[in-house]
Amino acid sequence: MKKVIQGILVVVVIILGYFIYESVQKPIRFEAEQQRRYSATIERLKDIRAAQVAYRTVHGKYTGSFDTLVNFLNTGKFKVVTMIGTIPDSLLDAGMTEKEALKKGLIQRDTILVAVKDSLFKKPNFSLDSLSIVPFTGGKKFEMKMGEVETGSKVKVNVFEAKVHNDVLLNGLDRQLIINFNEYRTKVANYPGLRVGSLDEANNNAGNWE
């Protein structure tokens, strides 16, 4: 009987030890995976921001459509001013400016068209079709909208916002830890997830991780 009780106690100790270990390791694993997903998603949101800024440079406004944005990246072109000719070092040392060199005909300016895709995205194996896809979600898409806000000086400013909620980005992880993390992100970043830009204010397209 004594050996049976001792055996039961050993099993209980092992089980308790496991639960204690898990209570410590679970948030550690959650944080590691959360950071992994956040890191990849932030990079994707930075790409969206770069694409939107390029789109606005050409069209004068942002877009709320990923189809429109990706089509622009595939076919759009920038006007880039290049300089033809050089200013001799001796004249540069003497203080000659670019404006003076233009007047003297030493250099000329020319406007060329450069493909937006080649200018913005030089990452290996980068696919424009993945721009709208939230990493680690099996194909879920970012929410993206554009609009207008009024500044303090009563000037209307075109804005855009792209975001993903933690419930989508962190789906599959411990639910209670996601709830706790949502509360934390709401306090420190005003949104329980990742977001770039804002439909409520002109924030210079800042990300809520910055």
Side-chain angles (χ1 to χ4, degrees), residues 23-78:
S23 67
V24 173
Q25 291 299 313
K26 185 181 290 185
I28 293 175
R29 288 196 298 266
F30 175 86
E31 183 177 2
E33 181 62 17
Q34 172 264 309
Q35 290 180 352
R36 187 170 79 100
R37 297 188 188 190
Y38 257 49
S39 179
T41 304
I42 286 171
E43 290 306 309
R44 188 66 51 82
L45 286 170
K46 287 179 179 179
D47 289 339
I48 292 172
R49 175 167 60 190
Q52 283 279 21
V53 170
Y55 184 89
R56 185 172 186 242
T57 299
V58 174
H59 295 284
K61 62 180 181 179
Y62 298 114
T63 176
S65 166
F66 273 113
D67 289 340
T68 299
L69 191 60
V70 171
N71 181 64
F72 164 73
L73 294 174
N74 275 315
T75 62
K77 293 184 178 181
F78 278 130

Side-chain angles (χ1 to χ4, degrees), residues 80-87 98 101-102 106-110:
V80 177
V81 178
T82 61
M83 185 174 71
I84 301 173
T86 58
I87 306 173
E98 186 176 314
L102 280 168
L106 295 174
I107 60 173
Q108 295 178 338
R109 285 179 180 156
D110 189 24

Side-chain angles (χ1 to χ4, degrees), residues 166-205:
N166 282 332
D167 288 352
V168 174
L169 179 55
L170 304 180
N171 184 46
L173 303 184
D174 185 272
R175 183 57 194 160
Q176 186 56 54
L177 292 177
I178 293 175
I179 292 172
N180 296 344
F181 189 61
N182 282 345
E183 293 177 358
Y184 167 76
R185 287 296 296 174
T186 300
K187 290 179 182 178
V188 302
N190 297 317
Y191 179 67
L194 287 172
R195 177 178 63 195
V196 66
S198 174
L199 294 179
D200 299 320
E201 60 178 338
N203 69 349
N204 200 31
N205 303 326

